[in-house]
Amino acid sequence: MSYETIAVHADGPVLHVALHRPDRLNAFDRTMTGELTELWRGTARDRSVRVVVLTGTGRAFCSGADMGDLAGERGPRGAGVDDELAFLPGPHLDVPVIVAVNGICAGGGLHFVADADIVIASESAAFVDPHVSVGQVSALEPVSLALRVPIPRLLRLALLGRGERLDAAAALACDLVSEVVPGVDLLQRARELAALVAANSPAAVAATRGALRSLEGRLLRSSMEEGWQTIMDHWRHPDSAEGPRAFAERRAPRWAGD
């Protein structure tokens, strides 16, 4: 099947997926989230796939939600937080997901990091959560990372917005990623890790992963639902529209509270 915004190919038991909007730094729009959701649902039925490797095309991994979508009329993708995040592979699949961060990972791009089973990064990778800098609430990404990254680090990332940028070394130090390699070696290292996973008992891997995912879900579920409601409530605030508008006009935002 051909896709407009993602590149997909299989290598034996490994499914390689690349976010493919390099001209938009792989920002996800409704087309990409729809294609990803379709891909994961199909992959869940494919028993030949034992592991997924996810990366980005070009110099970025994912710059988050497309600013054009944020500037328009806002609305949920479905009935709740599960539908909103249906473009992530983790909830659909029984197989591990390895994310290889090849460049900037911003805002909603952190969803892919939080959802992954294993995250590695190139030396040129960087992480930033600019939500509050463009008038948006960051109440899902930091919550979903709270079992992996210390809360003080998440607070800096979420509250400083564009003012806090983690390079690959800092991301490794706080366990946002588990390994950093030179950029030229990133995909090869991802393939090596995928081969190690694929060599194990598929049933044992799925059951082990399922136990850990179940624990994570029980601990975070209510906070994720509350966070999603907070985000939707904020859509009615004037800052939610002013932030993207100011970004598009390349000017300082005029916040309602100023």
Side-chain angles (χ1 to χ4, degrees):
M1 182 175 293
S2 61
Y3 297 97
E4 179 182 340
T5 65
I6 55 177
V8 182
H9 75 274
D11 182 11
V14 182
L15 183 69
H16 294 269
V17 181
L19 308 179
H20 190 61
R21 296 184 75 209
D23 57 319
R24 301 292 293 174
L25 299 182
N26 299 322
F28 54 82
D29 59 3
R30 288 189 176 272
T31 299
M32 180 183 282
T33 56
E35 289 186 341
L36 286 170
T37 302
E38 179 184 1
L39 172 65
W40 306 135
R41 288 173 177 168
T43 302
R45 299 188 295 269
D46 186 348
R47 308 315 300 173
S48 69
V49 176
R50 295 192 182 184
V51 60
V52 171
V53 171
L54 175 65
T55 191
T57 301
R59 61 190 179 91
F61 171 67
C62 177
S63 58
D66 192 288
M67 197 61 66
D69 287 353
L70 297 181
E73 186 70 23
R74 303 293 298 278
R77 294 188 178 93
V81 69
D82 289 340
D83 287 339
E84 184 65 17
L85 300 180
F87 63 92
L88 300 176
H92 297 283
L93 305 181
D94 291 328
V95 301
V97 177
I98 298 172
V99 164
V101 181
N102 56 296
I104 187 69
C105 177
L110 292 167
H111 282 309
F112 295 106
V113 173
D115 178 69
D117 299 289
I118 298 173
V119 186
I120 65 174
S122 73
E123 293 174 337
S124 62
F127 302 82
V128 61
D129 185 1
H131 278 88
V132 296
S133 298
V134 289
Q136 310 304 307
V137 172
S138 185
L140 290 181
E141 293 89 342
V143 170
S144 60
L145 286 166
L147 297 181
R148 309 185 186 197
V149 178
I151 296 295
R153 175 58 81 179
L154 289 176
L155 284 168
R156 287 183 62 94
L157 200 63
L159 299 181
L160 295 179
R162 289 195 188 115
E164 180 79 346
R165 185 184 179 103
L166 301 183
D167 62 16
L172 179 63
C174 71
D175 290 330
L176 185 60
V177 305
S178 63
E179 188 175 343
V180 174
V181 299
V184 295
D185 298 329
L186 182 67
L187 291 184
Q188 177 58 36
R189 181 55 178 156
R191 286 191 288 268
E192 291 171 356
L193 293 172
L196 291 172
V197 171
N200 297 324
S201 160
V205 167
T208 299
R209 178 182 183 272
L212 291 169
R213 288 265 172 169
S214 177
L215 169 64
E216 189 174 44
R218 287 198 302 273
L219 292 174
L220 295 180
R221 180 70 194 183
S222 63
S223 294
M224 290 290 285
E225 290 174 346
E226 290 170 7
W228 177 230
Q229 187 61 54
T230 299
I231 290 170
M232 290 190 291
D233 290 345
H234 184 73
W235 288 346
R236 297 189 295 270
H237 194 283
D239 286 357
S240 182
E242 168 61 9
R245 186 164 48 242
F247 179 86
E249 296 172 1
R250 299 184 180 181
R251 60 171 174 82
R254 295 185 287 269
W255 303 128
D258 287 347

